[in-house]
Amino acid sequence: MKTLDCKQGSVEWLTARCGILTASEMGNLLTDTMEVRTGKMPRTYVATKLAEAWTGEWDADFDSWEMTQGDILESEALPWLELERNVKLERVGFITTDDGKVGCSPDGLIGETGAEIKCPQRKQHCKTLLAGTIPGEHLPQLHGGLYVTGFSRWTFVSYNRKFPKLVMEIERDEEIQANIREAVEMFLFRFEEGWKRLCELNGGPPKRFARAAGVESADLGRQHEPEYVDIIP
């Protein structure tokens, strides 16, 4: 795996994940029960990431609630987990697989264990506490983090300052990892074919890129590769 040292939510972080399949968006490819999705959702996600890679502009879906959650994470939830578990969390920006094609942004690392902290609103947090389990919608992200890093364990925290907290761990499951690999391979195939088609329709790659070397395939993360030089200021 490769790690980029940057602040999550920063322009550098947004740029790094632009056009790349990420664990937080793995739910577009896998169901809450970790089965490979079929139908329109995976194809729509491919189109979303193609649009990002083609323009170099990330999808502007980070709303005020997500920014608020980030503030709570930084000021309360992360210090609470460190005190509760008597550990020191290593803050990381963005992690990718060795080939740079899939990434994740854990809220912290405890050795070779990732940490994902959610700061939901009261109703959702209360539902999670009563169920005593990790909400299904978060499982693709958590198992996706295990896929990217190769780790064997991930810690999940649901945090709300007015309630008890829920801390649970998931273990690496090779059957689930096989499903993730299948979903990732299908995504990459569709992305590659989509990139080729866009280049055919455009008469070449987007004008904002100047080819400094002959690169034929659509490599995720291409906007960060030395083969391309952004010629638009």
Side-chain angles (χ1 to χ4, degrees):
M1 71 180 193
K2 298 186 292 187
T3 302
L4 174 65
D5 184 17
C6 62
K7 181 177 176 59
Q8 292 186 22
S10 67
V11 171
E12 184 180 7
W13 177 79
L14 289 166
T15 301
R17 68 197 301 279
C18 182
I20 294 179
L21 166 60
T22 63
S24 63
E25 299 169 339
M26 199 71 77
N28 289 285
L29 307 181
L30 296 137
T31 67
D32 292 358
T33 57
M34 298 308 298
E35 299 295 326
V36 178
R37 284 192 187 276
T38 58
K40 293 182 179 180
M41 186 178 288
R43 294 180 181 276
T44 299
Y45 181 62
V46 170
T48 298
K49 304 312 284 187
L50 274 170
E52 289 182 359
W54 189 266
T55 62
E57 300 170 356
W58 52 84
D59 215 18
D61 283 341
F62 295 92
D63 58 23
S64 58
W65 169 249
E66 289 173 306
M67 298 301 292
T68 300
Q69 173 170 281
D71 292 341
I72 296 173
L73 270 174
E74 190 71 26
S75 63
E76 296 182 29
L78 289 171
W80 176 85
L81 181 60
E82 289 180 325
L83 183 62
E84 178 73 12
R85 290 296 179 94
N86 192 28
V87 296
K88 181 64 177 177
L89 282 167
E90 177 188 353
R91 311 295 173 83
V92 292
F94 190 60
I95 298 174
T96 70
T97 49
D98 289 336
D99 60 12
K101 294 183 177 181
V102 188
C104 68
S105 301
D107 293 316
L109 300 179
I110 309 168
E112 292 194 352
T113 298
E116 184 63 38
I117 304 176
K118 300 298 184 183
C119 302
Q121 298 185 24
R122 294 175 298 176
K123 180 172 68 175
Q124 181 58 47
H125 182 70
C126 197
K127 285 173 62 178
T128 299
L129 286 176
L130 294 175
T133 59
I134 299 173
E137 64 264 27
H138 299 315
L139 292 178
Q141 180 180 9
L142 302 178
H143 287 287
L146 293 173
Y147 174 85
V148 172
T149 60
F151 291 170
S152 60
R153 185 177 296 106
W154 212 267
T155 298
F156 171 83
V157 178
S158 184
Y159 179 95
N160 187 295
R161 64 168 68 98
K162 295 184 178 181
F163 287 86
K165 287 62 173 173
L166 178 73
V167 181
M168 300 190 75
E169 290 190 347
I170 63 166
E171 302 285 339
R172 188 180 184 87
D173 183 308
E174 291 307 324
E175 288 187 12
I176 290 176
Q177 291 298 307
N179 286 351
I180 293 175
R181 282 192 294 274
E182 179 182 344
V184 169
E185 288 170 2
M186 180 56 70
F187 169 85
L188 294 176
F189 172 78
R190 287 172 171 166
F191 187 100
E192 182 79 18
E193 291 301 302
W195 182 266
K196 290 178 180 177
R197 180 57 178 155
L198 287 176
C199 287
E200 288 174 3
L201 293 170
N202 193 57
K207 292 181 179 180
R208 69 189 199 87
F209 290 131
R211 295 273 183 169
V215 179
E216 299 301 329
S217 66
D219 185 18
L220 292 178
R222 63 197 141 273
Q223 63 269 33
H224 314 302
E225 294 289 336
E227 289 86 356
Y228 293 93
V229 178
D230 199 329
I231 60 174
I232 291 182

